[in-house]
Amino acid sequence: MLVRHACRRLGLPTPPQGRLATLLAQLEARPDAQAHVAWAEAEARIWRGGLHLLRRQPPPRGAWPLAWDGRSPLATPWGKAEATLVPDEGGEACLELRQREGGERLRLAGRGSRELKRLLQEAALPPWARERVVVVWHAAEPVAALALPEGRWLAVAAGWSAHPVSSG
């Protein structure tokens, strides 16, 4: 079967027969349904008409929030990342990383204030990946959103500069 072949090519365990039958049944789900089937260390998700075969992500280790200066290597509960986030006017920044809670808004250059939820949808970030979005706060204002563990800046507020992330 194609699903088992794809799992082997991706280095994932293949689903047992019962899980495979459940997955095949969910392939016929409504287009807006968030179908999900898990087994061993893998999972399958159906989103926007595509089948996504993934390694199951462990829950985060450690506690939130995390203090960060915007320049030091970033150690998160999902692993380490090399990134920078600095104010455009220079100087030091006292930042705090928090898991996304919902309702956050970022002020983007040329776009004004935007809901983070909408920005994540525009970035085509799948719903299950949105659970691992980290919001970077300066004072009482969200200034950036970072997708972990892959490490990708999703949005950066006006007045801030973010440099690429490399995960380790």
Side-chain angles (χ1 to χ4, degrees):
M1 155 140 284
L2 187 57
V3 171
R4 289 184 178 192
H5 176 74
C7 284
R8 284 191 291 273
R9 299 258 329 188
L10 293 168
L12 299 172
T14 58
Q17 189 61 37
R19 297 273 93 195
L20 185 58
T22 300
L23 174 60
L24 294 176
Q26 288 194 21
L27 286 173
E28 301 299 322
R30 296 185 336 261
D32 62 341
Q34 292 186 26
H36 175 237
V37 177
W39 64 94
E41 297 171 14
E43 61 186 355
R45 295 185 181 258
I46 301 167
W47 184 63
R48 291 190 175 176
L51 174 62
H52 300 262
L53 298 170
L54 312 159
R55 183 158 311 281
R56 288 176 73 179
Q57 294 290 325
R61 306 173 309 275
W64 299 97
L66 301 172
W68 185 42
D69 65 6
R71 298 178 193 278
S72 300
L74 185 54
T76 76
W78 290 296
K80 296 179 182 176
E82 296 287 335
T84 60
L85 180 67
V86 295
D88 287 345
E89 73 266 358
E92 297 297 315
C94 293
L95 303 171
E96 186 175 82
L97 280 72
R98 302 181 201 163
Q99 284 185 285
R100 179 175 166 251
E101 295 178 6
E104 297 93 349
R105 297 182 72 85
L106 279 81
R107 250 178 239 299
L108 303 178
R111 293 186 67 191
S113 179
R114 295 284 187 263
E115 288 183 349
L116 180 55
K117 177 181 178 178
R118 175 80 60 210
L119 296 172
L120 299 179
Q121 291 169 345
E122 289 174 8
L125 193 67
W128 61 90
R130 295 174 198 167
E131 298 168 2
R132 295 188 182 255
V133 169
V134 175
V135 180
V136 182
W137 292 76
H138 180 260
E141 185 175 346
V143 295
L146 179 63
L148 293 172
E150 71 274 10
R152 173 169 60 116
W153 289 112
L154 299 167
V156 177
W160 292 85
S161 296
H163 297 355
V165 175
S166 62
S167 296

